[in-house]
Amino acid sequence: MSDPSAAPGSAPAEPACAPQAPVVQDRPLTASPALQARIDWTLLLPDLPLDAALRQALLSMVSLRTFRPGAAIHRHGQPATVLRAVCEGSVGLGRRSRGGADPLMQSFQLKRTVRSPAWLDLHTAWLGTTYELDACATGPAPTLVLEWPVAVARGWLRHQPEVLAALMRALAAQMCEVQDQLHELSSKDALGRVAAWLMRRAGPNTRLEIVEKKRDVASQLAISPETFSRILRQLARRRLVSVDGYQVALLDRIGLMRLARDF
């Protein structure tokens, strides 16, 4: 996707958001091998050997829901009764700025993005409390979310110590990621935070697509949207990246890594 109005090397324009109401997947999961294949248990339950019987047991307890871009997945203050995982697409965690009168999350202010495949929230339901943040489908395509009722999971996991240990590993990985992001905010300047964000988003790839709104990315990095755009232009001038609309190519990963290191 490219913005024809954007000059080469310029920061991406803010993509439009067309939030819709959620669409529920009613078809039983176990009835469709194609649906079963869309759940990557190997990443959701790391280092856990999964035989056919264990997969079938897991599938019998979960359901899938599909959310269109902009749809609310859960709300701040809502009781947490399920464990959720993002199987396809991405989910933003943040807060609405307009209160309860904004049903389509149009005033959603992003704090953190969870991309598939990954657990969305592994702790709130276990604690039996309410959600601290709103969750909103943020990808350009529909987002597929797995839901596992915690009441069902709790009883079953009493007899499945290996699965419980895998969930604890996934939870620990989530906590490490959040801790790393907090460390970046406290130890890096704005240029270093943007460089680290680009490297993290691209992963092993040399290109990435910015699907969030510019203000949402800036909010995650604790900078203004204007500063985010200025830093992207600065990186482009230094030939560390090239920017074409929403597409960013990493031209010099070593240079970006130097900027992203701790100060």
Side-chain angles (χ1 to χ4, degrees):
M1 178 173 17
S2 63
D3 182 357
S5 65
S10 63
E14 187 169 301
C17 178
Q20 302 288 338
V23 178
V24 179
Q25 175 57 263
D26 294 320
R27 188 176 182 182
L29 184 64
T30 53
S32 171
L35 284 176
Q36 296 177 17
R38 296 167 74 176
I39 304 175
D40 194 339
W41 290 113
T42 60
L43 292 179
L44 295 179
L45 299 172
D47 302 321
L48 176 69
L50 284 167
D51 58 20
L54 185 53
R55 286 179 181 272
Q56 189 60 36
L58 288 165
L59 291 169
S60 70
M61 293 181 284
V62 303
S63 59
L64 288 175
R65 295 186 67 189
T66 304
F67 295 87
R68 296 182 182 180
I73 295 172
H74 65 241
R75 304 279 192 175
H76 163 67
Q78 178 183 351
T81 59
V82 298
L83 305 175
R84 287 193 174 94
V86 187
C87 296
E88 294 176 1
S90 61
V91 174
L93 294 169
R95 284 286 181 89
R96 293 169 293 158
S97 61
R98 298 181 188 171
D102 185 26
L104 296 183
M105 310 293 276
Q106 291 173 326
S107 63
F108 187 73
Q109 295 182 341
L110 185 68
K111 300 297 183 184
R112 184 166 64 90
T113 300
V114 177
R115 290 178 179 79
S116 62
W119 291 100
L120 178 59
D121 184 329
L122 269 178
H123 64 279
T124 307
W126 285 115
L127 295 173
T129 57
T130 59
Y131 292 112
E132 288 294 322
L133 297 173
D134 298 304
C136 175
T138 56
T143 295
L144 186 68
V145 174
L146 173 149
E147 295 187 345
W148 188 1
V150 71
V152 175
R154 185 181 290 113
W156 183 76
L157 287 168
R158 290 194 184 101
H159 310 287
Q160 299 290 335
E162 292 184 353
V163 181
L164 182 59
L167 281 172
M168 294 303 99
R169 288 192 292 271
L171 176 60
Q174 277 191 346
M175 295 301 100
C176 286
E177 181 180 353
V178 172
Q179 185 178 25
D180 288 345
Q181 291 175 0
L182 290 174
H183 178 66
E184 285 184 2
L185 291 175
S186 62
S187 65
K188 293 180 173 67
D189 65 5
L191 185 62
R193 294 200 295 274
V194 173
W197 182 84
L198 290 170
M199 295 289 291
R200 186 167 58 247
R201 279 293 309 273
N205 305 310
T206 58
R207 300 187 66 88
L208 63 97
E209 180 180 7
I210 299 178
V211 297
E212 300 100 325
K213 295 179 180 180
K214 182 173 63 177
R215 63 174 173 83
D216 289 338
V217 177
S219 176
Q220 293 180 72
L221 300 175
I223 57 178
S224 68
E226 294 75 18
T227 298
F228 178 66
S229 296
R230 176 177 54 79
I231 290 176
L232 282 182
R233 292 193 296 268
Q234 180 179 347
L235 294 174
R237 286 195 300 269
R238 295 170 63 169
R239 299 187 181 278
L240 298 176
V241 304
S242 67
V243 182
D244 181 14
Y246 310 133
Q247 303 290 332
V248 180
L250 308 189
L251 304 179
D252 185 352
R253 295 181 69 94
I254 300 300
L256 288 170
M257 288 175 64
R258 288 172 180 162
L259 290 175
R261 68 187 178 186
D262 294 346
F263 287 85

mmCIF file of all heavy atoms in Angstrom, residues 115 194-210 241 248-251 253 256:
data_model
loop_
_atom_site.group_PDB
_atom_site.id
_atom_site.type_symbol
_atom_site.label_atom_id
_atom_site.label_comp_id
_atom_site.label_asym_id
_atom_site.label_seq_id
_atom_site.Cartn_x
_atom_site.Cartn_y
_atom_site.Cartn_z
ATOM 1 N N ARG A 115 0.653 -8.743 17.986
ATOM 2 C CA ARG A 115 0.529 -9.317 16.645
ATOM 3 C C ARG A 115 0.519 -10.838 16.704
ATOM 4 O O ARG A 115 1.181 -11.433 17.548
ATOM 5 C CB ARG A 115 1.675 -8.829 15.747
ATOM 6 C CG ARG A 115 1.554 -7.365 15.414
ATOM 7 C CD ARG A 115 2.701 -6.839 14.572
ATOM 8 N NE ARG A 115 2.469 -5.434 14.307
ATOM 9 C CZ ARG A 115 2.713 -4.468 15.172
ATOM 10 N NH1 ARG A 115 3.240 -4.774 16.348
ATOM 11 N NH2 ARG A 115 2.441 -3.218 14.897
ATOM 12 N N VAL A 194 12.706 5.135 18.053
ATOM 13 C CA VAL A 194 12.151 4.892 16.721
ATOM 14 C C VAL A 194 12.956 3.822 16.004
ATOM 15 O O VAL A 194 12.392 2.916 15.359
ATOM 16 C CB VAL A 194 12.110 6.192 15.894
ATOM 17 C CG1 VAL A 194 11.693 5.901 14.451
ATOM 18 C CG2 VAL A 194 11.142 7.189 16.522
ATOM 19 N N ALA A 195 14.288 3.875 16.103
ATOM 20 C CA ALA A 195 15.128 2.866 15.463
ATOM 21 C C ALA A 195 14.829 1.480 16.032
ATOM 22 O O ALA A 195 14.707 0.496 15.290
ATOM 23 C CB ALA A 195 16.606 3.219 15.644
ATOM 24 N N ALA A 196 14.687 1.387 17.356
ATOM 25 C CA ALA A 196 14.380 0.100 17.991
ATOM 26 C C ALA A 196 13.008 -0.396 17.563
ATOM 27 O O ALA A 196 12.808 -1.596 17.327
ATOM 28 C CB ALA A 196 14.453 0.235 19.508
ATOM 29 N N TRP A 197 12.032 0.513 17.457
ATOM 30 C CA TRP A 197 10.685 0.127 17.026
ATOM 31 C C TRP A 197 10.709 -0.418 15.605
ATOM 32 O O TRP A 197 10.076 -1.445 15.314
ATOM 33 C CB TRP A 197 9.758 1.335 17.117
ATOM 34 C CG TRP A 197 8.338 1.041 16.730
ATOM 35 C CD1 TRP A 197 7.360 0.529 17.523
ATOM 36 C CD2 TRP A 197 7.745 1.232 15.436
ATOM 37 N NE1 TRP A 197 6.183 0.389 16.814
ATOM 38 C CE2 TRP A 197 6.389 0.821 15.536
ATOM 39 C CE3 TRP A 197 8.213 1.722 14.227
ATOM 40 C CZ2 TRP A 197 5.523 0.866 14.459
ATOM 41 C CZ3 TRP A 197 7.344 1.775 13.147
ATOM 42 C CH2 TRP A 197 6.010 1.348 13.260
ATOM 43 N N LEU A 198 11.449 0.212 14.713
ATOM 44 C CA LEU A 198 11.551 -0.267 13.328
ATOM 45 C C LEU A 198 12.177 -1.652 13.271
ATOM 46 O O LEU A 198 11.702 -2.536 12.539
ATOM 47 C CB LEU A 198 12.363 0.719 12.493
ATOM 48 C CG LEU A 198 11.711 2.069 12.206
ATOM 49 C CD1 LEU A 198 12.718 3.031 11.589
ATOM 50 C CD2 LEU A 198 10.491 1.917 11.291
ATOM 51 N N MET A 199 13.243 -1.847 14.048
ATOM 52 C CA MET A 199 13.908 -3.155 14.061
ATOM 53 C C MET A 199 12.976 -4.226 14.625
ATOM 54 O O MET A 199 12.900 -5.339 14.090
ATOM 55 C CB MET A 199 15.182 -3.071 14.895
ATOM 56 C CG MET A 199 16.252 -2.159 14.325
ATOM 57 S SD MET A 199 17.020 -2.849 12.849
ATOM 58 C CE MET A 199 17.903 -4.225 13.574
ATOM 59 N N ARG A 200 12.267 -3.889 15.668
ATOM 60 C CA ARG A 200 11.366 -4.856 16.286
ATOM 61 C C ARG A 200 10.222 -5.207 15.355
ATOM 62 O O ARG A 200 9.839 -6.378 15.232
ATOM 63 C CB ARG A 200 10.848 -4.285 17.609
ATOM 64 C CG ARG A 200 10.017 -5.249 18.426
ATOM 65 C CD ARG A 200 9.810 -4.732 19.843
ATOM 66 N NE ARG A 200 9.168 -3.424 19.859
ATOM 67 C CZ ARG A 200 9.761 -2.310 20.275
ATOM 68 N NH1 ARG A 200 11.015 -2.327 20.670
ATOM 69 N NH2 ARG A 200 9.102 -1.163 20.286
ATOM 70 N N ARG A 201 9.655 -4.211 14.690
ATOM 71 C CA ARG A 201 8.538 -4.449 13.784
ATOM 72 C C ARG A 201 8.965 -5.261 12.566
ATOM 73 O O ARG A 201 8.218 -6.118 12.082
ATOM 74 C CB ARG A 201 7.944 -3.118 13.324
ATOM 75 C CG ARG A 201 6.993 -2.489 14.311
ATOM 76 C CD ARG A 201 5.716 -3.309 14.464
ATOM 77 N NE ARG A 201 5.119 -3.607 13.181
ATOM 78 C CZ ARG A 201 4.262 -2.815 12.552
ATOM 79 N NH1 ARG A 201 3.901 -1.679 13.122
ATOM 80 N NH2 ARG A 201 3.761 -3.169 11.388
ATOM 81 N N ALA A 202 10.154 -4.993 12.050
ATOM 82 C CA ALA A 202 10.610 -5.702 10.850
ATOM 83 C C ALA A 202 11.014 -7.128 11.160
ATOM 84 O O ALA A 202 10.879 -8.020 10.311
ATOM 85 C CB ALA A 202 11.779 -4.947 10.214
ATOM 86 N N GLY A 203 11.511 -7.383 12.381
ATOM 87 C CA GLY A 203 11.977 -8.718 12.714
ATOM 88 C C GLY A 203 13.128 -9.123 11.803
ATOM 89 O O GLY A 203 14.060 -8.338 11.572
ATOM 90 N N PRO A 204 13.081 -10.325 11.216
ATOM 91 C CA PRO A 204 14.165 -10.757 10.328
ATOM 92 C C PRO A 204 14.057 -10.176 8.920
ATOM 93 O O PRO A 204 14.949 -10.397 8.094
ATOM 94 C CB PRO A 204 14.001 -12.279 10.297
ATOM 95 C CG PRO A 204 12.531 -12.487 10.502
ATOM 96 C CD PRO A 204 12.087 -11.386 11.443
ATOM 97 N N ASN A 205 12.979 -9.437 8.640
ATOM 98 C CA ASN A 205 12.737 -8.932 7.294
ATOM 99 C C ASN A 205 13.422 -7.576 7.089
ATOM 100 O O ASN A 205 13.803 -6.901 8.048
ATOM 101 C CB ASN A 205 11.235 -8.799 7.039
ATOM 102 C CG ASN A 205 10.503 -10.098 7.276
ATOM 103 O OD1 ASN A 205 10.885 -11.138 6.765
ATOM 104 N ND2 ASN A 205 9.443 -10.048 8.080
ATOM 105 N N THR A 206 13.544 -7.180 5.839
ATOM 106 C CA THR A 206 14.151 -5.890 5.519
ATOM 107 C C THR A 206 13.106 -4.830 5.190
ATOM 108 O O THR A 206 13.462 -3.680 4.949
ATOM 109 C CB THR A 206 15.113 -6.019 4.322
ATOM 110 O OG1 THR A 206 14.393 -6.535 3.186
ATOM 111 C CG2 THR A 206 16.269 -6.963 4.656
ATOM 112 N N ARG A 207 11.828 -5.226 5.173
ATOM 113 C CA ARG A 207 10.756 -4.282 4.889
ATOM 114 C C ARG A 207 9.644 -4.464 5.915
ATOM 115 O O ARG A 207 9.457 -5.549 6.461
ATOM 116 C CB ARG A 207 10.176 -4.481 3.473
ATOM 117 C CG ARG A 207 11.172 -4.314 2.354
ATOM 118 C CD ARG A 207 10.476 -4.369 0.995
ATOM 119 N NE ARG A 207 9.589 -3.228 0.810
ATOM 120 C CZ ARG A 207 9.971 -2.065 0.306
ATOM 121 N NH1 ARG A 207 11.221 -1.875 -0.040
ATOM 122 N NH2 ARG A 207 9.089 -1.084 0.155
ATOM 123 N N LEU A 208 8.901 -3.403 6.153
ATOM 124 C CA LEU A 208 7.741 -3.484 7.021
ATOM 125 C C LEU A 208 6.682 -2.515 6.514
ATOM 126 O O LEU A 208 6.979 -1.563 5.792
ATOM 127 C CB LEU A 208 8.112 -3.156 8.467
ATOM 128 C CG LEU A 208 8.638 -1.746 8.778
ATOM 129 C CD1 LEU A 208 7.513 -0.856 9.297
ATOM 130 C CD2 LEU A 208 9.763 -1.796 9.795
ATOM 131 N N GLU A 209 5.447 -2.782 6.905
ATOM 132 C CA GLU A 209 4.330 -1.900 6.569
ATOM 133 C C GLU A 209 3.785 -1.309 7.861
ATOM 134 O O GLU A 209 3.495 -2.030 8.822
ATOM 135 C CB GLU A 209 3.226 -2.667 5.846
ATOM 136 C CG GLU A 209 2.035 -1.788 5.471
ATOM 137 C CD GLU A 209 0.945 -2.551 4.751
ATOM 138 O OE1 GLU A 209 1.056 -3.790 4.654
ATOM 139 O OE2 GLU A 209 -0.017 -1.919 4.298
ATOM 140 N N ILE A 210 3.654 0.003 7.901
ATOM 141 C CA ILE A 210 3.080 0.679 9.063
ATOM 142 C C ILE A 210 1.560 0.677 8.895
ATOM 143 O O ILE A 210 1.026 1.360 8.019
ATOM 144 C CB ILE A 210 3.608 2.118 9.196
ATOM 145 C CG1 ILE A 210 5.126 2.108 9.369
ATOM 146 C CG2 ILE A 210 2.949 2.821 10.373
ATOM 147 C CD1 ILE A 210 5.748 3.486 9.449
ATOM 148 N N VAL A 241 16.994 4.149 6.163
ATOM 149 C CA VAL A 241 15.720 3.591 5.713
ATOM 150 C C VAL A 241 15.284 4.341 4.464
ATOM 151 O O VAL A 241 15.814 5.416 4.148
ATOM 152 C CB VAL A 241 14.615 3.715 6.792
ATOM 153 C CG1 VAL A 241 15.041 3.069 8.098
ATOM 154 C CG2 VAL A 241 14.224 5.169 7.014
ATOM 155 N N VAL A 248 8.184 0.795 4.640
ATOM 156 C CA VAL A 248 9.505 1.229 5.091
ATOM 157 C C VAL A 248 10.497 0.117 4.805
ATOM 158 O O VAL A 248 10.271 -1.047 5.194
ATOM 159 C CB VAL A 248 9.513 1.562 6.589
ATOM 160 C CG1 VAL A 248 10.908 2.012 7.031
ATOM 161 C CG2 VAL A 248 8.480 2.632 6.910
ATOM 162 N N ALA A 249 11.578 0.442 4.113
ATOM 163 C CA ALA A 249 12.655 -0.510 3.851
ATOM 164 C C ALA A 249 13.837 -0.175 4.747
ATOM 165 O O ALA A 249 14.239 0.990 4.843
ATOM 166 C CB ALA A 249 13.065 -0.458 2.375
ATOM 167 N N LEU A 250 14.381 -1.186 5.401
ATOM 168 C CA LEU A 250 15.553 -1.004 6.246
ATOM 169 C C LEU A 250 16.793 -1.173 5.373
ATOM 170 O O LEU A 250 17.116 -2.276 4.951
ATOM 171 C CB LEU A 250 15.556 -2.009 7.398
ATOM 172 C CG LEU A 250 14.281 -2.094 8.247
ATOM 173 C CD1 LEU A 250 14.521 -2.972 9.475
ATOM 174 C CD2 LEU A 250 13.803 -0.716 8.673
ATOM 175 N N LEU A 251 17.499 -0.078 5.103
ATOM 176 C CA LEU A 251 18.645 -0.102 4.203
ATOM 177 C C LEU A 251 19.943 -0.414 4.936
ATOM 178 O O LEU A 251 20.882 -0.941 4.337
ATOM 179 C CB LEU A 251 18.780 1.257 3.494
ATOM 180 C CG LEU A 251 17.552 1.733 2.727
ATOM 181 C CD1 LEU A 251 17.829 3.099 2.104
ATOM 182 C CD2 LEU A 251 17.145 0.720 1.666
ATOM 183 N N ARG A 253 20.752 -2.048 8.524
ATOM 184 C CA ARG A 253 20.347 -2.607 9.820
ATOM 185 C C ARG A 253 21.412 -2.367 10.885
ATOM 186 O O ARG A 253 21.092 -2.156 12.056
ATOM 187 C CB ARG A 253 20.057 -4.097 9.676
ATOM 188 C CG ARG A 253 18.852 -4.418 8.775
ATOM 189 C CD ARG A 253 18.618 -5.915 8.700
ATOM 190 N NE ARG A 253 18.147 -6.426 9.959
ATOM 191 C CZ ARG A 253 16.853 -6.582 10.283
ATOM 192 N NH1 ARG A 253 15.906 -6.236 9.412
ATOM 193 N NH2 ARG A 253 16.500 -7.068 11.448
ATOM 194 N N LEU A 256 20.993 1.111 12.179
ATOM 195 C CA LEU A 256 19.814 1.194 13.040
ATOM 196 C C LEU A 256 20.074 0.546 14.392
ATOM 197 O O LEU A 256 19.629 1.057 15.434
ATOM 198 C CB LEU A 256 18.618 0.535 12.358
ATOM 199 C CG LEU A 256 18.003 1.285 11.173
ATOM 200 C CD1 LEU A 256 16.990 0.410 10.457
ATOM 201 C CD2 LEU A 256 17.347 2.590 11.634
#
